[in-house]
Structure formats: structure tokens, C-alpha cells
Amino acid sequence: MRLLVLSDIHANLEALEACLEAAPEYDQVYNLGDIVGYGANPNEVTERSRDLGSIFVRGNHDKACSGVTSLQDFNPIAGLAALWTRHQLAPDHLEFLQRLPQGPLQPIENVQLVHGSPRDEDEYILMASDAYFLLARSAAPLIFFGHTHVQRCFSLESGASTGKSLVPAHHSAKGRQTVKLDLKARTHYMINPGSVGQPRDNDPRAAFLLYDTEQGSITFYRVPYDIVRTQEKIIAAGLPERLAARLAEGR
Ligand code: ZN
């Protein structure tokens, strides 16, 4: 089976379309949450995501934008964008977002899907030490996570005291880039596909990955998209300008 793993699309339609165009053939989509929030196309992106027939876990922005949680943990810019999104969302999409399941989900035996981490759906796993702690206790050998908007692979061999941290793509590279990783036996992985719609690893290119279960391989993707068009839509919608500027910076 070939699984397309998308995360943190954040209502960025141009980035989502560019990723789907760059994606190879796949059987199913795993969506790790934060479909909406920040971007100017919450209805279009929710509709497109639903049409893909994905398996979803919810993100903190999905919860806040659909009113499942309050905005008190959001910074002012994220809060403004969440309120704007809530007003924009068609009732059907709002209800869909409200009903998204909490991670972790285990769609196949060796894979867990989470937005933040297996122990807390809102936790940011940025530090390798946190990832290794979780990997030593993980319920599945392969955990896909999002939330940090940083494309990354943490791995831990069974019995090892410390693991490895891999930064797949390099932001100095231009154009479309793929990096393939062969998964090893007796090793646990926490893998973040990166963010489709708001990368924060100093690389403005949209990010996702493909997991080939038969090959036992992960292919990381970075894909350029029409950032200027996305920025114009954010400004035209009256959303905070910072949300447009950061897309070009990739942070
Ligand atoms: Zn996010």
C-alpha cells in the first residue's frame, strides 16, 4: 500500500494543489490535522481534504476554528485567524471539523497517527530527546506526527540509548526535491511530513511524504507553489499581514 501523509495544510489551497500534483500514485491519504486556520481558503481546503477520503486526526486549529476548544491558548494573530475561519466555514464543513477524531489512531498494525504526540495531541515534539523518550515506549514502530510544521525523522534502534535525527530536505535546494529513506528492522520511527500550508523550517516549499508499506520506504517531498497568490488572498481577506509574510520566509 502507498500512503500519502499530509499535515498542517492550514487552508492553503495553492500549496495543497501543488502537493497533490507532485504526489506519485497512492492508495490512501493520512491527514494529521490542522486542515484550517491561518489561510484564506478554509472551505475549499476542507472540501478537497474530505474528497480525498482521508483518515484524519484533529489538530488544535481544527478544534479552535470549529469551536470545540476556546481561543485562550492562541496568540493574538492565530486567534484572529481562527475567529475569521469560524465565520467563513460552511455549516457542513464546521460540523465535519467538530467531529474529527482525537489521535492517536492506529489505521494499520504498525502505524500510529497523531497531531502532536502519542501522549498529548497538542504537544510539540521539536526536541530529539522528547522523541527518543516516546520512541522507547511507543505502541507502534512508526508514528506519523505533525503540529511543529518541521519536516523531520527521529529514529531509535531497539535497545539503543540514543537515537538519530534526520533533516530530510535542504532549504538551499530549489525546485521540487525528494529524499528517500529505507526503514530499518528493529527500529522505531517518529516522522513528521512537514507542513503543506505553512512550513516553519526555513524552507518555504510545501512539504509532505509518501510511505510505501511494501518497500518499507518513506519518500519526503518539498514542492514549490504560488506563494504570491496565497499571500494576496490572505491580505484580500483582511487576515493579519504577518500570516502572508511568513509563508515566503518558511517560518
Ligand atoms: Zn499547525
Side-chain angles (χ1 to χ4, degrees), residues 35-248:
I35 300 164
V36 299
Y38 295 136
N41 287 113
N43 284 309
E44 294 81 354
V45 166
T46 305
E47 185 166 337
R48 193 81 172 91
S49 300
R50 295 175 71 175
D51 287 347
L52 292 172
S54 318
I55 293 181
F56 295 91
V57 292
R58 68 185 186 183
N60 52 320
H61 285 259
D62 303 321
K63 288 188 286 181
C65 293
S66 65
V68 170
T69 50
S70 78
L71 299 171
Q72 69 179 19
D73 293 334
F74 274 39
N75 67 51
I77 288 179
L80 273 173
L83 275 179
W84 179 90
T85 303
R86 200 181 291 178
H87 283 291
Q88 297 293 316
L89 280 168
D92 181 45
H93 292 325
L94 191 77
E95 196 183 322
F96 169 78
L97 293 169
Q98 286 167 346
R99 290 172 183 229
L100 285 176
Q102 177 178 357
L105 293 187
Q106 200 148 345
I108 53 176
E109 198 193 345
N110 64 327
V111 173
Q112 266 194 347
L113 308 180
V114 302
H115 182 64
S117 100
R119 64 184 170 191
D120 177 353
E121 62 178 335
D122 296 332
E123 180 182 11
Y124 289 91
I125 301 298
L126 282 159
M127 307 254 293
S129 55
D130 287 336
Y132 303 151
F133 178 89
L134 292 164
L135 283 169
R137 295 154 181 80
S138 63
L142 188 48
I143 297 168
F144 290 118
F145 72 106
H147 197 34
T148 62
H149 300 205
V150 173
Q151 193 177 63
R152 186 62 44 95
C153 171
F154 299 110
S155 62
L156 184 72
E157 267 182 62
S158 71
S161 55
T162 186
K164 289 192 182 119
S165 168
L166 169 75
V167 180
H170 287 282
H171 54 81
S172 57
K174 299 275 178 257
R176 198 177 282 181
Q177 188 182 13
T178 58
V179 177
K180 195 173 170 195
L181 171 79
D182 292 317
L183 299 174
K184 291 188 196 149
R186 295 172 18 90
T187 304
H188 283 199
Y189 292 87
M190 278 190 80
I191 298 181
N192 191 322
S195 169
V196 171
Q198 195 198 74
R200 292 181 196 160
D201 45 10
N202 300 308
D203 185 341
R205 296 174 298 175
F208 68 97
L209 67 77
L210 183 95
Y211 168 42
D212 188 319
T213 61
E214 271 123 67
Q215 278 191 7
S217 69
I218 303 281
T219 306
F220 294 93
Y221 283 77
R222 296 308 289 240
V223 182
Y225 69 96
D226 191 348
I227 291 177
V228 171
R229 178 159 167 71
T230 307
Q231 290 175 318
E232 285 169 357
K233 285 184 180 176
I234 287 171
I235 302 296
L239 285 160
E241 282 183 27
R242 175 72 201 131
L243 295 176
R246 69 186 300 174
L247 293 177

